[in-house]
């Protein structure tokens, strides 16, 4: 079970491998392309560590995040506990401000293939969320909302087979009874090549993408977006290449039509520890930004 980080929805904490195809859920559509084209994590220095394996702290995570100017340091820690009830986990969280919260993840309790997560439980539940995932054969359904109520983000996906899927996602406002936003997406994989398409922003944005495994160690991808509905249409694009080197290190390069080029390099320091360096070069003004992270106990 994956536990969410700040900014994720509650359903991202839920993983049900028994009842799903590879593309059962909407979030899986175009995921490989999004990962390939993800902007470099510049402007920050981060250290993440897990507890020693085969110990009581094996499920503990500590993250130290320093901002680009080194003027602030954020520390977040979490510990996962297996509860006496089968399929239920508790994740306790704390930060450097002394804020405490908890997430509860339940898998398959009421119905096989149904997972529920409640996140951000604290003294003040204003930021708490609840999410659910249901996977039945080729269909995956998700729903997220604030625990106190409000808009509901729901999605549905149908996998025709292991290579083709179609999905929809919408934000429903109970107060108005209408759709605040919606997205349609599709994905088709043919051998080493995967095609993806999405229609969003009320039909005003069209995105087309392709990823291809050029060889066992090289993946390339391209995405183009056409934004309509404004004073004039605009076209944007991004392309990226990821390469595993002979040393085992990985390098990823992403370039966009804005002129920015991101380079991300990941190397293994020792067993269970990796370091990642990031560089963003801007064509305008020839500026650059950097980022660095270390992950230990992985």
């Amino acid at each position: 079970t994956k536990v969410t980080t700040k900014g994720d929805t509650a359903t991202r904490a839920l993983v049900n491998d028994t009842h799903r195809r590879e593309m059962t859920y909407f979030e899986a559509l175009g995921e490989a392309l999004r990962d390939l084209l993800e902007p470099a994590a510049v402007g920050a220095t981060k250290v993440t560590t897990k507890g020693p394996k085969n110990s009581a702290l094996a499920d503990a995570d500590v993250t130290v995040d320093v901002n680009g100017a080194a003027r602030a340091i954020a520390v977040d820690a979490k510990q996962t506990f297996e509860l006496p009830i089968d399929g239920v986990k508790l994740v306790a969280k704390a930060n450097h401000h002394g804020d405490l919260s908890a997430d509860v993840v339940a898998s398959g309790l009421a119905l096989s293939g149904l997972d529920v997560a409640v996140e951000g439980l604290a003294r003040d539940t204003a930021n708490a969320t609840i999410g659910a995932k249901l996977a039945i054969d080729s269909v995956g359904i998700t729903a997220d909302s604030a625990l106190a109520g409000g808009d509901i983000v729901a999605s549905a996906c149908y996998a025709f087979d292991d290579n083709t899927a179609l999905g929809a996602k919408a934000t429903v406002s109970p107060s108005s009874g209408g759709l605040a936003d919606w997205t349609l997406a599709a994905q088709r994989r043919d051998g080493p090549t995967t095609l993806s398409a999405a229609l969003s922003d009320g039909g005003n944005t069209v995105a087309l993408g392709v990823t291809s495994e050029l060889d066992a160690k090289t993946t390339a991808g391209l995405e183009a977006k056409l934004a309509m509905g404004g004073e004039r249409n605009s076209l944007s694009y991004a392309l990226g290449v990821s390469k595993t080197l002979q040393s085992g290190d990985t390098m990823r390069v992403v370039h966009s039509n804005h002129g920015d080029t991101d380079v991300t390099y990941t190397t293994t320091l020792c067993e269970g520890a990796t370091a990642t360096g990031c560089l963003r070069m801007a064509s305008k003004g020839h500026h650059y930004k950097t980022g660095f992270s270390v992950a230990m106990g992985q």
Side-chain angles (χ1 to χ4, degrees):
T1 300
K2 176 189 172 187
V3 178
T4 65
T5 56
K6 185 177 180 180
D8 288 336
T9 59
T11 54
R12 292 187 182 274
L14 304 170
V15 176
N16 189 322
D17 295 322
T18 305
H19 299 273
R20 70 170 187 170
R21 290 181 182 268
E22 184 177 345
M23 295 184 292
T24 294
Y25 295 117
F26 181 87
E27 64 195 38
L29 303 180
E31 184 176 32
L33 183 60
R34 288 194 299 272
D35 291 344
L36 179 64
L37 300 181
E38 182 180 6
V42 297
T45 299
K46 181 178 292 187
V47 178
T48 304
T49 182
K50 295 180 68 68
K53 295 181 179 179
N54 302 319
S55 72
L57 297 177
D59 293 323
D61 292 285
V62 177
T63 300
V64 180
D65 196 349
V66 183
N67 74 354
R71 295 173 180 170
I73 298 178
V75 180
D76 296 282
K78 61 184 179 183
Q79 170 72 50
T80 301
F81 301 93
E82 297 282 351
L83 299 185
I85 305 174
D86 289 342
V88 180
K89 291 184 178 181
L90 173 68
V91 182
K93 298 180 179 180
N95 61 28
H96 62 289
H97 294 298
D99 299 328
L100 302 176
S101 65
D103 304 338
V104 179
V105 180
S107 302
L109 287 183
L111 178 66
S112 179
L114 174 63
D115 298 342
V116 179
V118 180
E119 296 192 335
L121 292 173
R123 182 175 300 178
D124 181 5
T125 60
N127 296 322
T129 61
I130 182 169
K133 276 188 173 183
L134 175 62
I136 303 176
D137 192 19
S138 300
V139 178
I141 301 171
T142 71
D144 289 278
S145 179
L147 197 60
D151 290 352
I152 300 172
V153 180
S155 72
C157 181
Y158 178 76
F160 296 91
D161 51 40
D162 288 334
N163 298 313
T164 308
L166 177 67
K169 183 177 182 180
T171 300
V172 182
S173 175
S175 58
S176 63
L179 295 179
D181 191 21
W182 58 267
T183 300
L184 299 176
Q187 178 172 305
R188 169 67 183 175
R189 182 171 53 208
D190 187 4
T193 301
T194 301
L195 302 175
S196 59
L199 183 65
S200 59
D201 298 330
N204 290 322
T205 300
V206 179
L208 300 175
V210 57
T211 56
S212 184
E213 297 178 3
L214 304 182
D215 56 45
K217 296 184 178 181
T218 309
T219 301
L222 168 67
E223 183 181 50
K225 288 185 178 181
L226 176 62
M228 304 171 289
E231 293 183 359
R232 62 178 183 176
N233 299 341
S234 62
L235 179 65
S236 61
Y237 70 85
L239 53 90
V241 177
S242 177
K243 175 76 173 179
T244 301
L245 308 179
Q246 290 184 347
S247 61
D249 297 349
T250 59
M251 176 179 285
R252 186 170 59 91
V253 180
V254 178
H255 178 75
S256 71
N257 64 295
H258 300 296
D260 293 346
T261 300
D262 290 0
V263 180
T264 302
Y265 190 93
T266 301
T267 185
T268 300
L269 300 177
C270 59
E271 184 179 359
T274 61
T276 299
C278 305
L279 173 65
R280 173 171 296 162
M281 298 173 287
S283 61
K284 297 180 180 179
H286 303 286
H287 299 302
Y288 69 90
K289 294 182 178 180
T290 61
F292 182 74
S293 63
V294 176
M296 298 179 289
Q298 305 302 306

